[in-house]
Amino acid sequence: MIIDCHGHYTTEPQKLHDWRKSQIAGIKDASQKPSRAALKISDDELRASVEGAQLKLQRERGTNLTIFSPRASGMAHHIGDAGISLEWSQISNELIHRMCGLFTKNFIGVCQLPQSPGVDPKTCVGELERCVKEFGFVGANLNPDPSGGTWNSPPMTDKWWYPLYEKMVELDVPAMIHVSASCNPAFHTTGAHYINGDTTAFMQLIQGDLFRDFPTLRFIIPHGGGAVPYHWGRYRGLAQDMKRPPLEEHLLRNVYFDTCVYHLPGIELLTKVIPADNILFASEMVGAVKGIDPRTGHHYDDTKRYIDQVSSLSAADKKKIFEDNAKKVYPRLKGKI
Amino acid sequence: MIIDCHGHYTTEPQKLHDWRKSQIAGIKDASQKPSRAALKISDDELRASVEGAQLKLQRERGTNLTIFSPRASGMAHHIGDAGISLEWSQISNELIHRMCGLFTKNFIGVCQLPQSPGVDPKTCVGELERCVKEFGFVGANLNPDPSGGTWNSPPMTDKWWYPLYEKMVELDVPAMIHVSASCNPAFHTTGAHYINGDTTAFMQLIQGDLFRDFPTLRFIIPHGGGAVPYHWGRYRGLAQDMKRPPLEEHLLRNVYFDTCVYHLPGIELLTKVIPADNILFASEMVGAVKGIDPRTGHHYDDTKRYIDQVSSLSAADKKKIFEDNAKKVYPRLKGKI
């Protein structure tokens, strides 16, 4: 079985985009604020939106189950206030829930959190609990920078985040640390902000002692861990200079990397440097890079092909990456597969 | 000959730190403002500050010449106004000039620019010209985020930066794109902000058309290019999706990566993915990571050892990386070696 731990619903019906547009217009002009009931998307429309996309790619690439969440760049926690974010998150999560109901073998849900810049993360606990307990979701996406590129939240090791971590531990669900759209012209969303978010979060974890307080808390760092595996020597050395424990001991019982790295040499490095126990298969399809690599004739984001080609990985290690680690990191998958 | 294109004066005498401390105190309390003449550092003090550090490491590691600039994190362009930045830059550059005079075979200078948040980069032209024409410096460090972690400057492809680029082209000097200290608690300076700066700048260059306007402008992206080579497939794919030219054509006539990657697998990836014509040897010693890797018994930042071990690189490619590319990218080295 091949579990892709990182897929977003990036092929939403136009109606959803239109509703969001009205919601945003309603922030300034209350007369444009749409009702929730105004959003009417039929099951057939939901089916059609993934049939020629995620489902087709699963079949073509030979993957089975995608851990599925709302479009990451669409979360846009920086837009409006906490109320706007909550309404938008609930609508987005409910669509994922419906999709998982329509395709029980293909998708399992992960939720968007109703974060908002400067707002206490404990306001996210209710929606997380609803998604896990009522919808059967297995995790959450956690945005370390709800401002969308200003980076004015406390580091992820700060006690400010603890109420959310307490609920994650109680529910036994992990979070993927994933920023959303950048509203800072310096940062291209998928080319800079996403990767910087991954790198930044990992370094924050080195500096802190979060897992002493939460020994069972688990994070997935997407996009192959940002710059981290490429600079593994730098991070080992920085940790050492800072008198932190070795990274294996300090972080690798709690931190995992996905395989959203879109070329073979990158996957080779990832699997050489990071223990197989800490790598989860992912492609982020349909995601940041949609094209076909003219050098290979295959989609850049067909990451399964790269892993298949890494001859230094044993069959047991590949099984860990493709399946076992996901079951370990997302224990709520157990009853659902 | 082995040229290290990335070395900072990180072993400055305490007197320099004290002077800077007074300068900063003087921003709020004019009575504490020090005179330039109050900074008295003798040649012997300068010699002593590098003898057991940069010079010793050059000898031990078998490198010859370091392209030497003021401490990157010390630039701190976010502190004070443009006047403070200019005074501090001039003092810092003058020390580098003296050091290069004392050790003509070991050091060649690169300048700190007197940038200041929100201030027109053309205010940096005078100091750049002074350092190149009067001091014989061969390049500059250019900070894409003088705010120190707020990232509120226009992207590097914006015409805002053009007056500086025009002078760089006229003088035929490259710039290393290098942020300074982070004053944003989200970003660890050397573990997040530096690497993010590299990644961010490269993505800005993909988005723009800077080298159409400046075909001979040259940038070095330090720290092995941040996350870029590890995610080379992502960047190729993003460029393709955005209908940009292939990266080789769009950027690699003007953009170079250094080798400040502190483990063998990282250097292997860098040299596999990026053409040897675009890689410049560097170690950033004495820099971000000072320790010895217990797995190898050698300093993490002894990057020459890693390159020596890459068997897939031909002798000609290694010569490019160690020497020829530096002479190409920094043409003003020519008369000085």
Side-chain angles (χ1 to χ4, degrees):
Chain A
M1 171 165 220
I2 295 182
I3 302 172
D4 183 338
C5 80
H6 188 177
H8 301 294
Y9 188 19
T10 50
T11 54
E12 321 93 316
Q14 185 57 37
K15 285 178 186 172
L16 183 68
H17 294 296
D18 293 343
W19 190 92
R20 172 66 163 166
K21 217 169 158 183
S22 303
Q23 191 205 29
I24 294 170
I27 298 170
K28 285 195 177 165
D29 173 7
S31 73
Q32 296 196 52
K33 191 180 178 311
S35 71
R36 291 203 195 194
L39 179 65
K40 288 196 173 73
I41 299 175
S42 69
D43 284 354
D44 281 348
E45 286 170 309
L46 289 182
R47 282 191 197 97
S49 71
V50 292
E51 182 48 54
Q54 289 86 349
L55 297 186
K56 176 169 166 276
L57 292 172
Q58 281 185 351
R59 287 192 297 269
E60 285 178 3
R61 299 180 185 182
T63 65
N64 304 108
L65 180 73
T66 298
I67 297 181
F68 203 52
S69 59
R71 183 192 287 261
S73 64
M75 300 189 295
H77 296 116
H78 59 279
I79 296 178
D81 59 16
I84 293 289
S85 181
L86 179 62
E87 185 177 45
W88 175 235
S89 297
Q90 289 181 335
I91 281 176
S92 301
N93 290 331
E94 285 160 17
L95 276 186
I96 296 294
H97 178 43
R98 286 178 61 195
M99 195 66 89
C100 295
L102 292 172
F103 299 100
T104 54
K105 292 192 174 165
N106 301 90
F107 298 124
I108 284 192
V110 149
C111 70
Q112 168 176 334
L113 293 171
Q115 297 177 248
S116 192
V119 175
D120 191 327
K122 79 177 163 205
T123 58
C124 297
V125 162
E127 179 63 5
L128 173 63
E129 193 152 31
R130 180 177 86 116
C131 288
V132 173
K133 290 193 171 167
E134 295 180 28
F135 298 167
F137 284 15
V138 298
N141 291 329
L142 176 56
N143 184 349
D145 173 32
S147 76
T150 308
W151 287 95
N152 52 9
S153 290
M156 301 201 68
T157 51
D158 193 279
K159 290 201 157 52
W160 196 67
W161 299 94
Y162 276 26
L164 186 58
Y165 299 156
E166 282 160 12
K167 184 55 71 176
M168 286 170 56
V169 166
E170 181 197 315
L171 296 169
D172 204 13
V173 294
M176 179 171 281
I177 299 176
H178 202 310
V179 295
S180 184
S182 161
C183 58
N184 183 333
F187 299 135
H188 183 274
T189 293
T190 53
H193 192 44
Y194 278 20
I195 305 294
N196 293 350
D198 308 332
T199 308
T200 300
F202 189 81
M203 190 64 212
Q204 291 176 356
L205 297 175
I206 290 181
Q207 293 175 266
D209 272 308
L210 184 59
F211 304 116
R212 197 176 51 191
D213 288 348
F214 296 101
T216 64
L217 186 66
R218 299 178 301 283
F219 290 132
I220 302 97
I221 314 230
H223 321 108
V228 170
Y230 175 48
H231 285 288
W232 196 239
R234 187 178 191 87
Y235 291 101
R236 289 182 56 236
L238 281 170
Q240 186 175 317
D241 285 358
M242 293 162 76
K243 317 280 184 212
R244 313 304 300 156
L247 297 181
E248 290 72 13
E249 190 184 310
H250 186 40
L251 300 181
L252 291 191
R253 293 170 191 153
N254 305 81
V255 176
Y256 301 83
F257 299 94
D258 84 7
T259 66
C260 292
V261 178
Y262 296 157
H263 62 153
L264 179 58
I267 291 288
E268 285 174 336
L269 176 126
L270 172 67
T271 54
K272 188 183 290 180
V273 166
I274 304 297
D277 287 327
N278 292 77
I279 302 174
L280 273 68
F281 171 68
S283 67
E284 207 179 353
M285 65 90 169
V286 179
V289 176
K290 296 183 181 60
I292 289 175
D293 185 346
R295 294 187 192 167
T296 66
H298 294 272
H299 285 91
Y300 287 99
D301 68 1
D302 186 355
T303 54
K304 177 172 173 294
R305 285 187 65 256
Y306 308 132
I307 298 165
D308 287 342
Q309 289 173 72
V310 178
S311 54
S312 58
L313 281 175
S314 68
D317 282 346
K318 287 187 183 173
K319 186 163 177 289
K320 284 180 184 176
I321 293 170
F322 282 131
E323 176 179 357
D324 299 348
N325 294 341
K327 290 179 176 170
K328 177 178 72 180
V329 175
Y330 299 84
R332 283 179 175 266
L333 280 176
K334 214 168 283 173
K336 299 190 175 71
I337 298 182
Chain B
M1 170 162 222
I2 295 182
I3 302 171
D4 183 337
C5 80
H6 187 179
H8 301 294
Y9 188 20
T10 50
T11 54
E12 321 93 318
Q14 185 57 39
K15 285 177 186 172
L16 184 68
H17 294 296
D18 293 342
W19 189 92
R20 172 68 162 165
K21 218 169 157 184
S22 302
Q23 190 205 28
I24 294 170
I27 297 170
K28 285 195 177 166
D29 173 8
S31 73
Q32 296 196 52
K33 191 180 181 306
S35 71
R36 292 203 195 195
L39 179 65
K40 290 196 173 72
I41 300 175
S42 70
D43 285 355
D44 281 348
E45 287 170 309
L46 289 182
R47 282 191 198 97
S49 71
V50 293
E51 182 48 54
Q54 289 85 350
L55 297 186
K56 177 169 165 276
L57 293 171
Q58 280 185 352
R59 287 190 299 267
E60 285 177 3
R61 300 181 184 180
T63 66
N64 304 108
L65 180 75
T66 299
I67 297 182
F68 203 52
S69 59
R71 182 192 287 261
S73 64
M75 300 188 297
H77 295 117
H78 59 279
I79 295 177
D81 60 13
I84 293 288
S85 181
L86 179 62
E87 185 178 45
W88 175 235
S89 297
Q90 288 181 334
I91 281 176
S92 300
N93 290 330
E94 286 161 16
L95 276 187
I96 296 295
H97 177 45
R98 285 178 61 196
M99 195 67 88
C100 295
L102 292 172
F103 299 100
T104 53
K105 292 192 173 163
N106 301 90
F107 297 125
I108 283 192
V110 150
C111 69
Q112 169 177 334
L113 294 172
Q115 297 176 250
S116 192
V119 175
D120 192 327
K122 81 176 162 207
T123 59
C124 298
V125 162
E127 179 63 4
L128 173 63
E129 192 152 34
R130 180 176 86 118
C131 288
V132 173
K133 290 195 172 165
E134 294 179 27
F135 298 166
F137 284 15
V138 297
N141 291 329
L142 175 58
N143 184 349
D145 173 32
S147 76
T150 307
W151 287 94
N152 52 9
S153 291
M156 302 201 68
T157 50
D158 194 279
K159 291 203 157 53
W160 196 67
W161 299 95
Y162 277 25
L164 186 57
Y165 299 156
E166 283 161 10
K167 183 55 69 176
M168 285 170 56
V169 165
E170 180 198 316
L171 296 170
D172 203 13
V173 294
M176 178 171 282
I177 299 177
H178 202 310
V179 296
S180 185
S182 161
C183 57
N184 183 335
F187 300 134
H188 184 274
T189 294
T190 52
H193 192 44
Y194 278 20
I195 305 295
N196 293 350
D198 308 332
T199 308
T200 301
F202 189 82
M203 189 64 212
Q204 291 175 355
L205 296 175
I206 290 182
Q207 292 175 267
D209 272 308
L210 184 60
F211 304 116
R212 196 176 52 193
D213 287 349
F214 296 100
T216 63
L217 186 66
R218 298 179 302 284
F219 290 131
I220 301 98
I221 315 231
H223 321 109
V228 171
Y230 176 49
H231 285 287
W232 196 240
R234 187 178 190 87
Y235 291 101
R236 288 182 55 235
L238 282 170
Q240 187 175 315
D241 285 358
M242 294 161 73
K243 317 278 183 215
R244 313 304 299 156
L247 296 181
E248 290 72 14
E249 189 184 311
H250 186 40
L251 300 181
L252 292 191
R253 293 170 193 154
N254 304 81
V255 175
Y256 301 84
F257 298 94
D258 83 7
T259 66
C260 292
V261 178
Y262 297 157
H263 62 152
L264 179 58
I267 290 289
E268 285 174 336
L269 177 127
L270 172 68
T271 53
K272 188 184 288 181
V273 166
I274 305 297
D277 286 329
N278 292 78
I279 302 173
L280 272 67
F281 171 68
S283 68
E284 206 180 353
M285 65 90 169
V286 179
V289 176
K290 295 182 181 60
I292 289 175
D293 185 346
R295 293 187 192 167
T296 67
H298 294 271
H299 285 91
Y300 288 99
D301 69 1
D302 186 356
T303 54
K304 177 171 173 293
R305 285 186 66 255
Y306 308 132
I307 299 164
D308 287 342
Q309 289 172 71
V310 178
S311 54
S312 58
L313 281 175
S314 68
D317 282 346
K318 287 188 183 173
K319 186 164 178 289
K320 283 180 183 175
I321 293 170
F322 282 130
E323 176 178 357
D324 299 347
N325 293 341
K327 290 179 176 168
K328 177 178 72 181
V329 174
Y330 298 85
R332 283 178 176 265
L333 280 175
K334 214 167 283 172
K336 297 188 177 70
I337 299 183

